[in-house]
Amino acid sequence: MQDSQLTQEEISQLTEADWKQRLSADEYHVMREKGTERPFTGIYNETNESGIYRCKGCGAKLFDSSSKFNASCGWPSFDQGIDNDAIAEHVDNSLGMTRTEVTCSNCGAHLGHVFPDGPRETTGMRYCINSVSIDLDADTKE
């Protein structure tokens, strides 16, 4: 777990070789090559612990555990980011379909995708996130 968030200057100096050294092979595949982990295999899929989920690549705060819900889709799901600037959205036309990819706004790491089928009583959104792209900073609240 990173003690603090990397700055834009620090991120801009990282080469792909640096990213490969910082991340495991699975983390690199997901976060830098836009891969995905197999459903129901991630460590945070069924976690209900309180805290802040941070980007594994740079330590940026992404999600508060209070926004996590069980979507039964195989990946940790959240109905919103920690704030409007934490996550960037991009059109993803891969795999013969149009989806909305979500990345860390700070370092650009691929996190997963967002879908408009989340809890209607909150935002209606489901941020479907790869466990390998996040770290839980337990008992930390925004």
Side-chain angles (χ1 to χ4, degrees), residues 113-124:
H113 291 84
V114 61
F115 304 94
D117 60 1
R120 292 177 194 237
E121 62 275 4
T122 59
T123 65

Side-chain angles (χ1 to χ4, degrees), residues 19-20 22-38 41-42 56 110 130-134:
W19 283 114
K20 283 182 178 180
R22 291 176 61 86
L23 303 171
S24 72
D26 288 341
E27 292 164 354
Y28 184 86
H29 175 64
V30 170
M31 298 172 69
R32 304 298 298 170
E33 300 176 325
K34 301 182 186 292
T36 191
E37 64 193 4
R38 290 187 346 255
T41 62
K56 190 161 284 187
H110 172 76
N130 291 284
S131 287
V132 298
S133 64
I134 54 178

Side-chain angles (χ1 to χ4, degrees), residues 3-48:
D3 288 335
S4 62
Q5 179 176 320
L6 292 178
T7 66
Q8 288 293 305
E9 182 178 340
E10 291 169 320
I11 292 166
S12 70
Q13 294 175 11
L14 292 174
T15 65
E16 285 307 306
D18 293 329
W19 283 114
K20 283 182 178 180
Q21 188 174 22
R22 291 176 61 86
L23 303 171
S24 72
D26 288 341
E27 292 164 354
Y28 184 86
H29 175 64
V30 170
M31 298 172 69
R32 304 298 298 170
E33 300 176 325
K34 301 182 186 292
T36 191
E37 64 193 4
R38 290 187 346 255
F40 302 102
T41 62
I43 62 170
Y44 298 122
N45 184 43
E46 295 185 14
T47 298
N48 294 315

Side-chain angles (χ1 to χ4, degrees), residues 56-127:
K56 190 161 284 187
C58 71
K61 294 177 181 179
L62 300 173
F63 301 97
D64 188 291
S65 61
S66 64
S67 68
K68 190 172 187 290
F69 68 97
N70 184 356
S72 300
C73 65
W75 292 274
S77 298
F78 303 86
D79 66 358
Q80 62 187 330
I82 202 157
D83 63 45
N84 291 334
D85 297 324
I87 297 165
E89 297 184 4
H90 315 274
V91 175
D92 175 2
N93 290 314
S94 65
L95 304 177
M97 64 182 100
T98 299
R99 300 178 292 171
T100 303
E101 175 194 15
V102 291
T103 60
C104 172
S105 291
N106 192 48
C107 72
H110 172 76
L111 303 172
H113 291 84
V114 61
F115 304 94
D117 60 1
R120 292 177 194 237
E121 62 275 4
T122 59
T123 65
M125 303 307 287
R126 174 174 54 99
Y127 289 84

